[in-house]
Amino acid sequence: MRHTPSRARDPDVDDVVERDGVRLAYEVFGDGHRPTVLLMPSWSIVNSRHWKAQVGHLARRYRVVTFDGRGSGRSDRPVGAAAYTDEMYAEDAVAVLDATGTEQAVLVGLSCGATWAVHVAATYPERVLGLFAIAPSCGFALPSGKRPTHAWDARLDSYEGWARYNRHFWLEGDYDAFLAFFFREMYVEPHSSKQIEDGLGWGREVTAETLVDTTAGRIGCDGAVCLPVEPLCRRVRCPVTVVHGTDDHVRPHAIGEQLARFTGGSLVLLEGSGHGPHAREPVKVNHLIGEFVDRVCPRQQRTTWTRAARRPKRALYLSSPIGLGHARRDAAIAAELRLLHPDLQIDWLAQDPVTRVLAESGERIHPASAWLANESGHIEHESGEHDLNAFQAIRRMDEILVNNFMVFDDVVADGGYDLVVGDEAWDVDHFLHENPELKRFSFAWMTDFVGWLPMPEGGAAEAALTADYNAEMIEHRARFRRVRDRSIFVGRPEDVVTTSFGPGLPRIREWTEDNFDFSGYVTGFDPAALPGTEDLRRDLGLGADDRLCLVTVGGSGVGGPLLVRVLDAVPLVRRMVPELRFLVVTGPRIDPASLPVTPGVQVVGFLPDLYRHLAACDLAVVQGGLTTCMELTALRKPFVYVPLLRHFEQNVHVRARLDRYEAGRCLEYPAAVDPGALAEAIAKELTREIAYRPVETDGAARAAALLAELL
């Protein structure tokens, strides 16, 4: 079974069925005890991964089957238009139903896939429980001006606009230019760069020759027979719902209106949406699909409602799983919040490794946390040797974020929460602004940085993307201020960078001051009140004259290479400072046994009370994450920090804040690769005279006071 950390869910079955010599790759998610939803293929310009924003959510409720249509993905690519008629795709769908042991299913189809679903429903009515059509591309006759003008077989002097939808342009012209044009027409909504990028990637997996065959077969050229769809529609007897965007540039919504009328189905128009609402408006489309399946496959359910006056005060806390710093500060804020509201019940929607910290604090983890797709695994999958393009990694985490928002949406729909706190819960903040009607609680957003920023290596392309993401966020906040009841910056205004969000956009610090409250930094502990550091040093086997260097890389597995580099430098450091001992903390996601045994070095795994060990050390070597660096600053310890390459937050936001505190010694990773340079930096930092600016000790209480007002 293939495992891909960046997918919201791996399939339970990954197999191939052969029909008439054509191999069709399919996947099954979930077991056979629930209604089956068959997500139909679409035009071969995309593969079944175009359903990625639906699979995770639907598979928690139903059994889901997807397959790559012939001509796309991992399925075969037969030659000739006759191999790609509507009837061929319909028979393929039935073959997949048979191969997966599916007697009946709800069919969900996008564009061409809706036509093929009609064929199945009309020809095999006993197999289809319902038909859900998104932006259907059925060949109905429409009034002139209602559809794009396609010059499929004409040799034109100028290929402009839809004239690019032309076999000669694909085969002899610029196929990539057509792909770029088509996906811009498919996703006409602003800020659709990720959806367009996905489409281009899938489109490049298919040759121009195959795309010509699949299109000719669908429209009845090159000897292929194309049956009229309207008579088939009138034979459909199952429930039908049609969803169509009013700004669809590929197939106008008049086609969806016709399909609903011919099948006797219902019609949902999405005002302002284009041809791919399942990708561009995934939350809305997921809700619509779920409502449809529940209507055609009703389940016996029992619900309980409690009068508002009898409900206890409840808060749902979401803490970012990328690293462990959020967990420690959030647990501290929650403790202060309970002092202000002793009757408050707090549930945590969180995932590993955050749950380990919370469990040590005795916090209650919501059972739905088990449904969350793991973000740390994706981040590790995206990283190289001490290298992580954080912006692009989060951008490519889109299907995980959709899945996790849908989990959150299910939890708050039934949870009766008075307050939701999202500490850098990017999915919740984004999709609540995209779907503000889903907000039915007070919502507080917390972050310790504002603004996506490009790294120089990304060039003009990355600069344009980060500016676009920032512009969307600024537009969200201007249009839907009511979504956030409170925005809390974990720090002071001076900690915010002064650069702009991008060309024509405001400066980050000025905008943040206008839109956030400031709690000051939250360490989660008072350095002056930490007892027992001498006892801890004795427990670690340190003598009175020994000095301790603590090495840690946070809660993800991204920092493994840095640990190895430090171990390479240990012999050189100990020649310069013989009394220096090393404690290497691998964290929860790196196996201590994976590191080489080195004299003078003790290696341990996850330490829930890491801050106590930081207080006991004489020096630290860390990654460039904000939490550990600020804890060391608050403890007034010398430290060397090595930011991840291409990580905009560590290289820009964190570094600017540490510079303001005059804390730490930054060492670029290319220098740290040299054991001598790393050893010299460690030895020099050990002798540094500390003159850091003081760090607030009341940040947790101030943040809690801001939250308490919402209760």
Side-chain angles (χ1 to χ4, degrees):
M1 185 65 62
R2 292 177 294 119
H3 173 64
T4 307
S6 295
R7 293 187 69 165
R9 173 167 175 159
D10 285 319
D12 297 291
V13 177
D14 179 357
D15 209 341
V16 173
V17 60
E18 184 172 317
R19 191 185 77 79
D20 289 347
V22 177
R23 290 163 52 86
L24 305 166
Y26 66 84
E27 295 179 334
V28 182
F29 305 82
D31 57 42
H33 301 295
R34 297 174 292 171
T36 296
V37 176
L38 174 62
L39 299 176
M40 296 286 290
S42 190
W43 188 23
S44 56
I45 202 169
V46 297
N47 58 45
S48 60
R49 289 282 290 141
H50 77 88
W51 292 117
K52 64 181 182 176
Q54 281 66 55
V55 169
H57 169 66
L58 295 177
R60 284 194 291 108
R61 297 164 173 257
Y62 321 109
R63 178 175 178 258
V64 175
V65 177
T66 67
F67 73 100
D68 290 329
R70 53 179 59 211
S72 73
R74 296 180 296 122
S75 292
D76 286 347
R77 289 150 170 74
V79 177
Y84 295 99
T85 63
D86 293 343
E87 291 75 15
M88 285 292 186
Y89 281 98
E91 292 297 330
D92 288 348
V94 175
V96 170
L97 291 178
D98 291 341
T100 58
T102 307
E103 295 183 5
Q104 294 180 306
V106 175
L107 271 52
V108 180
L110 169 76
S111 192
C112 307
T115 301
W116 304 330
V118 167
H119 276 258
V120 177
T123 309
Y124 300 93
E126 73 283 359
R127 307 296 294 271
V128 182
L129 296 168
L131 194 163
F132 190 92
I134 305 171
S137 179
C138 303
F140 301 134
L142 295 173
S144 61
K146 292 289 187 179
R147 64 186 304 172
T149 301
H150 296 168
W152 170 246
D153 238 346
R155 287 188 175 274
L156 305 176
D157 294 331
S158 176
Y159 291 96
E160 299 293 336
W162 280 100
R164 292 184 178 93
Y165 193 95
N166 182 296
R167 71 163 80 217
H168 304 295
F169 185 71
W170 301 353
L171 295 172
E172 303 163 17
D174 189 341
Y175 179 57
D176 209 58
F178 165 72
L179 295 178
F181 165 78
F182 177 80
F183 286 109
R184 284 197 301 268
E185 291 294 294
M186 182 169 180
Y187 299 110
V188 295
E189 301 89 343
H191 312 298
S192 296
S193 62
K194 183 59 171 67
Q195 291 77 25
I196 293 171
E197 183 179 293
D198 285 342
L200 289 171
W202 295 324
R204 289 167 183 149
E205 295 175 359
V206 182
T207 66
E209 290 77 9
T210 297
L211 200 65
V212 166
D213 283 345
T214 64
T215 306
R218 183 168 50 82
I219 64 178
C221 295
D222 300 346
V225 177
C226 182
L227 298 178
V229 181
E230 182 177 338
L232 292 170
C233 292
R234 300 186 186 279
R235 289 165 49 190
V236 172
R237 294 291 176 264
C238 65
V240 175
T241 288
V242 180
V243 175
H244 215 128
T246 62
D247 201 20
D248 190 330
H249 288 198
V250 179
R251 287 293 182 269
H253 62 85
I255 294 178
E257 293 169 356
Q258 294 266 53
L259 178 59
R261 181 160 60 87
F262 293 151
T263 59
S266 59
L267 175 68
V268 179
L269 292 179
L270 302 180
E271 189 68 36
S273 290
H275 193 61
H278 68 307
R280 195 59 188 82
E281 302 292 344
V283 174
K284 180 62 177 177
V285 171
N286 287 349
H287 278 297
L288 290 171
I289 295 174
E291 291 164 5
F292 178 75
V293 178
D294 288 343
R295 178 163 61 88
V296 300
C297 305
R299 296 174 295 167
Q300 189 174 24
Q301 293 180 307
R302 175 181 174 178
T303 60
T304 301
W305 179 81
T306 303
R307 292 181 64 247
R310 295 197 59 183
R311 298 172 194 163
K313 287 183 183 178
R314 300 184 68 199
L316 183 68
Y317 213 127
L318 301 99
S319 185
S320 173
I322 303 175
L324 285 173
H326 300 275
R328 284 193 287 271
R329 78 180 180 206
D330 291 333
I333 293 170
E336 294 287 344
L337 188 55
R338 289 189 179 99
L339 295 178
L340 300 174
H341 287 277
D343 57 340
L344 179 65
Q345 298 179 8
I346 300 179
D347 294 338
W348 296 79
L349 190 62
Q351 54 189 276
D352 186 77
V354 168
T355 48
R356 304 194 200 185
V357 176
L358 298 176
E360 290 286 338
S361 301
E363 298 286 354
R364 179 183 183 272
I365 311 299
H366 195 289
S369 298
W371 299 337
L372 296 170
N374 190 273
E375 297 177 24
S376 293
H378 165 80
I379 293 297
E380 292 162 11
H381 179 65
E382 288 275 329
S383 66
E385 182 180 332
H386 205 73
D387 181 5
L388 174 67
N389 189 318
F391 168 69
Q392 294 289 1
I394 291 176
R395 191 166 174 265
R396 287 190 285 265
M397 197 162 63
D398 52 340
E399 73 174 283
I400 289 176
L401 295 179
V402 173
N403 176 84
N404 291 352
F405 177 81
M406 299 306 301
V407 172
F408 163 81
D409 187 54
D410 284 347
V411 169
V412 295
D414 302 325
Y417 290 103
D418 300 281
L419 172 65
V420 170
V421 182
D423 187 352
E424 292 187 15
W426 302 106
D427 50 347
V428 172
D429 187 65
H430 174 79
F431 287 114
L432 282 181
H433 281 89
E434 291 277 280
N435 304 268
E437 66 277 6
L438 297 180
K439 187 211 172 203
R440 39 203 183 279
F441 39 77
S442 294
F443 177 52
W445 165 255
M446 295 177 57
T447 185
D448 53 39
F449 79 92
V450 176
W452 307 102
L453 295 176
M455 295 301 293
E457 301 91 333
E462 186 167 294
L465 286 175
T466 54
D468 183 62
Y469 271 57
N470 289 331
E472 182 180 43
M473 181 269 294
I474 292 169
E475 292 165 14
H476 276 163
R477 296 302 305 130
R479 175 63 180 86
F480 298 110
R481 294 192 69 82
R482 68 183 186 276
V483 168
R484 290 188 200 163
D485 297 282
R486 181 136 277 160
S487 300
I488 301 174
F489 184 85
V490 183
R492 299 175 58 82
E494 311 90 85
D495 295 324
V496 184
V497 296
T498 58
T499 187
S500 77
F501 283 108
L505 298 174
R507 304 197 75 79
I508 296 176
R509 182 181 294 179
E510 294 173 2
W511 186 88
T512 304
E513 288 183 299
D514 290 340
N515 288 272
F516 278 77
D517 294 301
F518 295 84
S519 68
Y521 194 72
V522 179
T523 59
F525 61 87
D526 181 356
L530 278 180
T533 54
E534 292 304 319
D535 292 341
L536 180 57
R537 288 176 64 87
R538 281 193 294 272
D539 291 343
L540 293 172
L542 297 171
D545 296 327
D546 288 329
R547 306 178 82 179
L548 176 66
C549 176
L550 189 144
V551 185
T552 182
V553 290
S556 75
V558 176
L562 178 59
L563 297 182
V564 174
R565 299 297 182 184
V566 174
L567 292 176
D568 289 342
V570 164
L572 297 178
V573 179
R574 298 196 75 206
R575 288 177 198 166
M576 292 183 275
V577 190
E579 70 275 16
L580 189 63
R581 302 273 296 277
F582 285 79
L583 175 65
V584 173
V585 183
T586 64
R589 296 181 66 85
I590 299 174
D591 182 3
S594 67
L595 297 178
V597 176
T598 305
V601 178
Q602 180 182 357
V603 180
V604 298
F606 170 58
L607 294 176
D609 58 348
L610 179 65
Y611 65 92
R612 293 186 63 243
H613 291 74
L614 295 176
C617 78
D618 298 285
L619 167 78
V621 179
V622 298
Q623 209 170 263
L626 179 65
T627 299
T628 305
C629 289
M630 286 300 293
E631 288 177 345
L632 289 164
T633 302
L635 291 164
R636 307 186 69 76
K637 299 290 183 178
F639 63 97
V640 175
Y641 67 98
V642 186
L644 289 166
L645 299 170
R646 299 190 302 153
H647 193 302
F648 76 94
E649 184 188 358
Q650 292 188 5
N651 284 278
V652 181
H653 292 285
V654 175
R655 188 165 182 176
R657 190 181 297 214
L658 293 176
D659 286 348
R660 188 180 83 78
Y661 280 92
E662 302 176 4
R665 178 188 297 270
C666 182
L667 184 68
E668 303 289 349
Y669 187 68
V673 170
D674 177 6
L678 180 56
E680 183 179 356
I682 293 172
K684 283 186 176 180
E685 189 65 13
L686 192 59
T687 63
R688 177 177 180 177
E689 184 177 342
I690 300 301
Y692 303 161
R693 293 177 184 270
V695 178
E696 305 94 327
T697 59
D698 62 345
R702 294 172 66 182
L706 292 169
L707 297 176
E709 294 175 5
L710 304 181
L711 289 165

